[in-house]
Amino acid sequence: MAAVVGIAELRRPGGYVVQVLAVAALYYGSARLGLLRELSVGNAVFTPIYPPTGVSVAALLILGIGCWPGITLGALVLILTISPPGPDLIGILFGNTAAPVCAAILLHWARFRPDLSRFRDGLALVFLGALAAMTLSATVGVGMLVLTDKLAAHDFWPVWLAWWVGDAMGVLLVAPLLLMLHRIRRPLPLGRWREATALTVIACVLVPLAAYSSLSLLFLVYPLIIWAALRFQLAGAVLCALFTSVMATIAATDRSGAFLGLSPVEIMAKLQAFNGTMALTALLMSALITEQRNTRRSVERACQELVQILEHLTAGDVPLPRPQTDADADGTGGGDDTGGRSSPAP
C-alpha cells in the first residue's frame, strides 16, 4: 500500500532503474538549491535547510525502501561535484543514506500515514523522522570529518548541531510538501481560491518585511501560519512555513534585517530556533486540525445514519437488510450478538 512504508514491488527492472535515477536526480537538484545559501560555524560550512533529507524520506515513504540506492547515488554525485573524494566519502555516504532509511523504518513502526491526517502522524514525523533519525547522519558525517582531520575535535558539537538541525529542517519542511503533492486529487473551490490568493498576497508582503526589518518582527509570521493551518490544513501551513523559512534563511545568510550585527553562532542559533518552532507549529497544528475535522465528519455521518434509522422505526417500517456481500457469503464478514444477522440499514 502507498500509505505505509514497505519494500516496493518492482516487477520490471526498467521501472526500478527509472525510480532510482529519479530519486538521485531529485536528491542532487534539491541539494544544489540548498547549497545556494550557507552559514559557517567554526571551520565548517553548512546549509540551514538541507532539502535532500526531505526528498529522501518522502521518496522512501512513497516508493518504498527499495529506492534507497537513488539516495546514495545522488549523494555521491553531489560530493564529487563540490569536493575531491577523500577517505571520509564512504562514511558520509553511509550517513546520508542510513538516516532517511532509519526515518522511514521508524515511521513504519509508528504506523505513520503519509496524508498526516492524525495528530500522532505529525508527532511521528517530527520526533522520529526528523529529530531522532537525523542524528545518525550528523553523527557519522561530523565524526568522519574529525577522524580525517578536516575538523578540529573542539568544533564537533557546534558543527554537529548545525548539521543535525539542517537535516531535520529538510525533513520538516520538504517531506510534508512532497507527500501532499503526491496525494493531490482535485482543485479548491472558487471561494477557497479567493481566500488562498489573499493569504498569498499578504504573505508575500508581510514575510519579507518581517525577515528584513531591523526591528526583529519575525513573530508576525505566526498569525499567517495559524490562518493557513486553520483554513487550508497541511497544504497551506507547509507552503507558508517553507516560504517563510526560505526568506528568513536568505536574510540570515545576507546578515541583514533581524540578523544584522550578530555573530555566525548567534545567526545560526536564531535562524534555526525560528525555523524549528515555525515548522513545528505549522506541521502539528495542521495535523491536529485535520484530525479534528475528520472526527467531526465521522460523527456527523453516524448521526445522519442514526436519524434515518429512527425515522424508519417511528414510521413502523422495518429497515431493509444490508445487501449480502461475498465476505458474508463466505462466512468471513463477522457477526453480532443477534445470531449473525446483518446490521439494519435504511
Side-chain angles (χ1 to χ4, degrees), residues 325-341:
T325 62
D326 294 337
D328 295 331
D330 295 336
T332 59
D336 54 17
D337 296 333
T338 59
R341 290 184 300 171

Side-chain angles (χ1 to χ4, degrees), residues 57 61 98-112 120-136 164 167-168 171-172 280 283-284:
V57 172
L61 293 175
V101 171
C102 178
I105 293 174
L106 290 175
L107 292 175
H108 173 54
W109 286 346
R111 300 185 182 277
F112 173 78
R120 59 175 291 182
D121 297 326
L123 292 175
L125 185 62
V126 170
F127 292 101
L128 297 180
L131 301 183
M134 294 305 117
T135 58
L136 182 59
W164 173 62
D167 284 357
V171 176
L172 294 179
L280 289 175
L283 188 59
L284 296 181

Side-chain angles (χ1 to χ4, degrees), residues 144-197:
M144 292 302 299
L145 294 178
V146 173
L147 291 176
T148 56
D149 294 328
K150 291 185 177 180
L151 183 70
H154 61 82
D155 288 330
F156 177 88
W157 287 113
V159 176
W160 182 92
L161 180 62
W163 189 313
W164 173 62
V165 175
D167 284 357
M169 289 305 305
V171 176
L172 294 179
L173 292 173
V174 178
L177 177 63
L178 297 178
L179 294 174
M180 176 197 68
L181 293 176
H182 176 65
R183 301 182 63 87
I184 285 181
R185 293 294 181 268
R186 57 184 180 180
L188 290 173
L190 180 59
R192 301 298 300 280
W193 274 113
R194 295 173 181 171
E195 184 178 0
T197 302

Side-chain angles (χ1 to χ4, degrees), residues 10-66:
L10 305 171
R11 299 179 180 179
R12 292 179 293 182
Y16 175 72
V17 173
V18 170
Q19 286 185 355
V20 170
L21 293 178
V23 172
L26 288 174
Y27 187 102
Y28 177 79
S30 61
R32 300 303 297 188
L33 288 176
L35 292 173
L36 292 177
R37 294 288 172 170
E38 299 175 341
L39 289 174
S40 60
V41 175
N43 296 323
V45 177
F46 73 99
T47 57
I49 304 173
Y50 194 59
T53 56
V55 170
S56 302
V57 172
L60 294 171
L61 293 175
I62 295 172
L63 302 177
I65 301 293

Side-chain angles (χ1 to χ4, degrees), residues 35 249 306 340:
L35 292 173
T249 300
L306 180 60

